[in-house]
């Protein structure tokens, strides 16, 4: 009874006891469902209301009459089911023949014989064709929308119902419209019935809601290929569906490459992990996220492993792959140049045709407004003023479109002159220079790679500083490339065995600063590329337990030995050295003194110590 106010009023009156009998041409047709029918019969029985139809008069409170009314309701429900099945069967049979008509998307229409044909409006056809062309070039629905907006182009849509039924409305192209065009098989010349399925469910408020969801291609009820002329082939349609699925960032297809994006990672979406087979993701690290890394942490994220499968700097793999691509493209550079010029010319022609069609339409609307104004009775000033205003508005729109077209033609970067074509040919012939040019965006490089490479599997053994790239090209060929990975920071900061052995040899007879000078003369540098210093040599001796050089002769004594020999304190020995009483040798500041005591000097010093009362004597242990 949802939406049937009269039936609800009937039930209300019966339940209130205000009705003596319910008259109907056929009692079983009164309700549209068995639930509503049996509820009405129950209320009639409680309020002692009769039910009268063309077959007789029934008392729902009587068992036999109630049983007969219930049977009539059941038969009516079954009859509705059979009618629905027959209607749907006839509809399906007509669809299997490709004769069932339904609203067509913009760009397609029916002719007088009911055959599906391309839209007779050239501007509409060229706008739809440009959507497929730009998607083939850019590989992204968002890029198609941005290109339309950048070029100032419009896109049509056809209105259904109301006063605008069947008319074209021109406006901005949206992302949803592009996806709808790409997913519609009618543009590929196919007749499809049963793309969507409706499901009924009960909402939280108790109402029945109908939801429509798309069905997979293998569950379509009818699919007739080459049914009519299309804008693309069926193979192109399948490629578009595959590319749209790849572009999903939240999809389950983790091994798909996706569309080229603006990041610095050149191989984003093309790398597969050789350990788990999943797609390598890109993570930007460092200060401000300026250092991209390829990594795979799917096993660790799922709790299947304790560490990530791999993490590799982007620049290492990108440089190796770039060398492979440039080597592979050398024989075909001239052919690429010619094809690039061809594609640019076709794109330029398609865009200019869209603007010309837009100018023609604006000119036609202005001419139509002028004819209507000329045909009106001049004495009817009320109508003539309105038509004159519309004529002026149409002329203004034509002038605006013409001005926008002139601004579009004056923009830079259009391939129109012979000089510009020669520059494109020169750049394409010298492909490495074009690839490394600062004006070439990372997104453009990624698009070039996707035309050549299908995917790349990265293998890296744990603990090894080498990765192997298994490249699978679009043509089916495969090749491998080895990438040397740099050591980690600890290994790079560690001094090499050659440097340590050299320090060990020099430290036998040289001091730390002398060893540092010799290493610098040998052309050696530290781990950070700096010249060696005495502190560096000292750290190396401490780290690798290299002893200090022993440059003292056998006749020389230390300060402690001289103090013990004469029985005085160390301060007395230093006093003798400072006063020149003893001759001491010192290699550099901070190193100990080495003292030589002649035999004649020894007696003099002993006599001095014995008769002096101010010289402190050393304490006996």
């Amino acid at each position: 009874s949802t939406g049937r106010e009269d039936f609800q009023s009937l039930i209300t009156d019966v339940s209130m006891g205000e009705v003596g009998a319910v008259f109907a041409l056929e009692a079983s047709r009164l309700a549209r469902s068995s639930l509503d029918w049996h509820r009405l019969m129950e209320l009639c029985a409680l309020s002692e209301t009769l039910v009268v139809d063309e077959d007789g008069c029934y008392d729902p409170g009587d068992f036999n009459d109630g049983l007969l009314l219930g049977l009539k309701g059941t038969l009516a429900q079954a009859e509705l089911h059979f009618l629905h099945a027959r209607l749907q069967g006839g509809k399906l049979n007509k669809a299997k023949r490709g004769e069932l008509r339904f609203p067509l998307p913009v760009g397609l229409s029916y002719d007088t014989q009911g055959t599906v044909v391309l839209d007779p409006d050239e501007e509409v056809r060229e706008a739809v064709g440009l959507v497929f062309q730009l998607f083939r070039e850019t590989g992204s629905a968002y890029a198609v929308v941005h290109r339309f907006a950048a070029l100032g182009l419009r896109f049509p849509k056809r209105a259904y119902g109301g006063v605008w039924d069947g008319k074209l409305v021109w406006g901005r192209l949206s992302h949803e419209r592009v996806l709808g065009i790409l997913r519609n098989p009618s543009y590929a010349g196919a007749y499809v019935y049963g793309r969507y399925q409706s499901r009924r469910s009960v909402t939280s408020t108790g109402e029945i809601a109908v939801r429509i969801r798309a069905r997979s291609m293998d569950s379509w009820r009818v699919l007739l290929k080459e049914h009519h002329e299309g804008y693309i082939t069926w193979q192109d349609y399948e490629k578009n569906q595959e590319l749209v699925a790849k572009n999903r960032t939240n999809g389950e297809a983790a091994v798909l490459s996706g569309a080229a994006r603006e990041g610095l990672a050149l191989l984003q979406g093309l790398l597969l992990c050789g350990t788990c087979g999943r797609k390598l993701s890109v993570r930007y690290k460092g200060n401000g996220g300026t250092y991209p890394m390829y990594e795979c942490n799917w096993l660790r994220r799922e709790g299947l492993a304790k560490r990530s499968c791999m993490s590799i700097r982007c620049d290492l793999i990108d440089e190796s792959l770039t060398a492979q691509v440039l080597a592979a493209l050398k024989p075909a550079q001239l052919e690429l140049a010619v094809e690039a010029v061809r594609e640019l010319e076709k794109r330029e022609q398609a865009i200019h045709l869209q603007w010309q069609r837009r100018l023609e339409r604006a000119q036609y609307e202005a001419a139509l407004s002028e004819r209507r104004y000329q045909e009106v009775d001049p004495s009817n000033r009320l109508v003539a003023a309105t038509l004159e205003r519309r004529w002026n508005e149409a002329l203004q729109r034509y002038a605006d479109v013409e001005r926008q077209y002139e601004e579009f033609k004056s923009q830079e970067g259009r391939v129109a002159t012979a000089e510009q074509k020669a520059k494109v040919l020169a750049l394409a012939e010298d492909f490495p220079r074009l690839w490394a040019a600062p004006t070439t965006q990372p997104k453009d490089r990624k698009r070039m790679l996707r035309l050549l490479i299908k995917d790349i599997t990265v293998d890296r053994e744990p603990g090894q500083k080498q990765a192997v790239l298994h490249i699978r090209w679009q043509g089916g060929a495969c090749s491998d490339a080895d990438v040397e990975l740099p050591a980690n920071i600890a290994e790079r900061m560690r001094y090499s065995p050659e440097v340590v052995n050299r320090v060990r040899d020099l430290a036998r007879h040289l001091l730390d600063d002398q060893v540092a000078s010799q290493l610098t003369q040998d052309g050696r540098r530290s781990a950070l590329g700096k010249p060696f210093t005495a502190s560096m040599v000292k750290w190396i001796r401490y780290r690798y337990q290299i002893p200090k050089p022993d440059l003292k002769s056998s006749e020389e004594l230390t300060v402690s030995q001289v103090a013990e020999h004469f029985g005085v304190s160390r301060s007395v020995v230093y006093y003798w050295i400072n006063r020149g009483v003893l001759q001491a040798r010192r290699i550099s500041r901070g190193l100990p003194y080495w003292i030589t005591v002649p035999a004649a000097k020894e007696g003099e010093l002993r006599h001095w110590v014995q008769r002096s009362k101010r010289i402190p004597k050393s304490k006996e242990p």
Side-chain angles (χ1 to χ4, degrees):
S1 63
T2 302
R4 300 182 65 193
E5 297 181 359
D6 295 338
F7 186 78
Q8 294 176 359
S9 300
L10 173 63
I11 291 180
T12 302
D13 295 339
V14 170
S15 61
M16 297 294 292
E18 299 178 355
V19 177
V22 177
F23 289 83
L25 295 179
E26 186 176 353
S28 60
R29 299 293 187 188
L30 189 59
R32 295 181 181 178
S33 66
S34 297
L35 177 62
D36 294 338
W37 172 250
H38 287 89
R39 177 59 58 85
L40 177 61
M41 292 301 101
E42 182 180 0
L43 293 175
C44 289
L46 292 174
S47 60
E48 298 180 356
T49 302
L50 300 179
V51 177
V52 183
D53 65 358
E54 59 183 3
D55 294 331
C57 180
Y58 308 96
D59 181 8
D62 183 70
F63 173 76
N64 294 323
D65 290 352
L67 182 62
L68 182 58
L69 290 174
L71 182 59
K72 278 194 171 186
T74 303
L75 292 176
Q77 189 78 11
E79 186 179 359
L80 290 176
H81 169 75
F82 293 140
L83 289 174
H84 182 268
R86 289 170 185 170
L87 292 174
Q88 290 294 330
K91 194 175 181 180
L92 180 60
N93 290 332
K94 196 171 183 179
K96 288 181 179 179
R97 299 192 302 268
E99 299 176 357
L100 182 64
R101 296 183 60 169
F102 46 79
L104 294 174
V106 64
L108 298 173
S109 61
Y110 291 105
D111 60 5
T112 56
Q113 286 79 27
T115 305
V116 180
V117 295
L118 300 183
D119 197 294
D121 194 325
E122 291 186 4
E123 187 179 6
V124 175
R125 294 200 307 269
E126 291 168 359
V128 175
L130 187 60
V131 169
F132 290 104
Q133 178 183 347
L134 292 179
F135 183 76
R136 184 171 59 254
E137 294 176 1
T138 60
S140 170
Y142 275 115
V144 175
V145 176
H146 294 164
R147 189 69 65 84
F148 260 76
L151 298 175
L153 302 178
R154 305 179 305 166
F155 194 81
K157 64 178 179 180
R158 195 174 298 279
Y160 291 100
V163 295
W164 291 90
D165 186 25
K167 294 185 178 180
L168 288 175
V169 180
W170 292 84
R172 182 182 60 87
L173 181 63
S174 62
H175 180 250
E176 291 77 13
R177 291 294 306 281
V178 176
L179 291 180
I181 293 172
L182 296 174
R183 292 170 177 168
N184 198 325
S186 299
Y187 291 107
Y191 181 92
V192 176
Y193 175 76
R195 288 176 60 203
Y196 298 95
Q197 183 179 16
S198 61
R199 290 292 182 90
R200 295 194 300 174
S201 60
V202 181
T203 63
S204 58
T205 59
E207 298 179 355
I208 297 178
V210 180
R211 290 187 174 89
I212 298 177
R213 65 178 183 89
R215 307 175 66 177
S216 59
M217 187 183 300
D218 54 357
S219 62
W220 290 350
R221 304 291 295 276
V222 178
L223 174 58
L224 303 177
K225 300 178 182 178
E226 300 181 358
H227 175 265
H228 55 269
E229 184 181 1
Y231 289 87
I232 57 175
T233 64
W234 184 256
Q235 291 75 16
D236 294 336
Y237 172 77
E238 292 179 336
K239 291 180 181 178
N240 290 343
Q241 303 314 300
E242 182 181 356
L243 188 54
V244 169
K246 288 180 180 179
N247 292 345
R248 289 187 57 188
T249 57
N250 59 344
E252 293 294 331
V255 299
L256 302 177
S257 61
R261 305 189 185 277
E262 294 79 4
L264 299 177
L266 190 62
L267 303 179
Q268 161 256 326
L270 294 177
L271 298 179
L272 303 178
C273 178
T275 303
C276 65
R278 307 286 293 187
K279 181 178 65 174
L280 268 68
S281 59
V282 180
R283 173 167 293 184
Y284 290 87
K285 299 183 178 180
N287 186 13
T290 56
Y291 301 101
M293 301 281 293
Y294 295 123
E295 65 176 19
C296 177
N297 57 359
W298 183 80
L299 293 178
R300 180 174 61 84
R301 188 173 64 249
E302 297 295 328
L304 303 177
K306 295 183 178 180
R307 55 181 301 177
S308 302
C309 297
M310 62 181 67
S311 179
I312 307 175
R313 279 168 41 191
C314 289
D315 56 343
L316 301 175
I317 298 184
D318 292 350
E319 292 174 0
S320 176
L321 202 281
T322 299
Q324 295 282 331
V325 171
L326 295 180
L329 283 178
K330 275 186 178 179
Q333 285 181 4
L334 184 59
E335 183 180 351
L336 284 174
V338 177
E339 186 64 27
V341 172
R342 255 189 228 136
E343 287 294 329
L344 290 173
E345 287 180 342
K346 287 173 59 179
R347 183 194 306 174
E348 191 76 8
Q349 292 174 1
I351 294 172
H352 279 283
L353 277 176
Q354 278 291 299
W355 277 102
Q356 292 173 7
R357 297 290 182 264
R358 187 174 175 183
L359 277 172
E360 291 176 7
R361 184 178 296 277
Q363 188 177 11
Y364 166 75
E365 292 176 355
L368 181 61
S369 299
E370 181 183 4
R371 287 199 305 270
R372 289 174 178 173
Y373 174 74
Q374 296 294 341
E375 293 173 359
V376 72
D377 185 4
S379 60
N380 191 354
R381 295 304 303 167
L382 296 178
V383 177
T386 301
L387 294 179
E388 183 181 7
R389 177 176 53 82
R390 293 179 180 176
W391 182 20
N392 292 330
E393 292 175 354
L395 290 175
Q396 183 63 39
R397 286 195 298 269
Y398 176 72
D400 292 341
V401 173
E402 193 173 20
R403 177 180 52 80
Q404 293 173 7
Y405 183 43
E406 293 298 330
E407 292 177 357
F408 171 78
K409 290 192 298 184
S410 63
Q411 293 178 7
E412 298 181 357
R414 309 294 177 193
V415 180
T417 64
E419 182 181 358
Q420 291 173 328
K421 294 177 183 178
K423 289 181 179 179
V424 173
L425 283 171
L427 281 176
E429 290 176 1
D430 189 7
F431 187 76
R433 186 160 61 95
L434 173 63
W435 181 272
T439 55
T440 305
Q441 300 296 326
K443 192 173 183 179
D444 297 329
R445 295 190 182 97
K446 295 177 184 180
R447 290 174 183 169
M448 298 181 201
L449 287 178
R450 278 160 173 72
L451 296 176
L452 300 173
I453 298 175
K454 192 170 185 179
D455 56 50
I456 304 171
T457 303
V458 184
D459 280 335
R460 181 186 178 186
E461 295 295 333
Q464 294 188 2
K465 298 302 179 183
Q466 186 182 32
V468 181
L469 306 180
H470 304 285
I471 308 171
R472 187 165 58 151
W473 303 85
Q474 290 288 1
C478 298
S479 61
D480 296 339
D482 296 334
V483 179
E484 297 294 334
L485 304 179
N488 53 35
I489 185 64
E491 294 179 354
R492 294 199 301 269
M493 294 296 293
R494 186 177 295 116
Y495 292 100
S496 63
E498 293 81 4
V499 173
V500 176
N501 294 333
R502 180 61 174 164
V503 171
R504 182 176 284 108
D505 294 338
L506 295 175
R508 294 176 181 175
H509 55 278
L510 296 178
L511 299 177
D512 292 346
D513 54 348
Q514 297 173 339
V515 172
S517 300
Q518 186 62 41
L519 291 175
T520 303
Q521 293 177 6
D522 295 343
R524 300 181 184 273
R525 290 293 185 268
S526 67
L528 298 178
K530 299 179 179 180
F532 278 94
T533 61
S535 60
M536 295 180 184
V537 177
K538 184 177 180 180
W539 162 253
I540 294 175
R541 288 195 300 99
Y542 168 77
R543 174 64 180 81
Y544 296 97
Q545 299 181 357
I546 300 175
K548 294 181 179 180
D550 189 9
L551 303 179
K552 183 173 70 67
S553 63
S554 57
E555 294 81 9
E556 293 176 327
L557 301 174
T558 64
V559 173
S560 299
Q561 291 174 344
V562 172
E564 183 180 359
H565 182 70
F566 290 101
V568 295
S569 63
R570 292 168 55 90
S571 59
V572 175
V573 178
Y574 283 116
Y575 176 81
W576 288 344
I577 295 173
N578 294 333
R579 294 296 180 177
V581 177
L582 290 177
Q583 299 297 324
R585 184 169 65 92
R586 191 181 191 183
I587 297 178
S588 64
R589 184 179 180 85
L591 292 180
Y593 288 103
W594 296 329
I595 306 169
T596 302
V597 182
K601 199 72 173 177
E602 182 176 355
E604 180 183 349
L605 291 176
R606 286 188 179 277
H607 180 69
W608 188 359
V609 171
Q610 289 177 0
R611 65 183 180 84
S612 176
K613 297 181 179 180
R614 301 180 60 183
I615 296 178
K617 308 299 187 293
S618 62
K619 298 181 180 179
E620 296 296 335

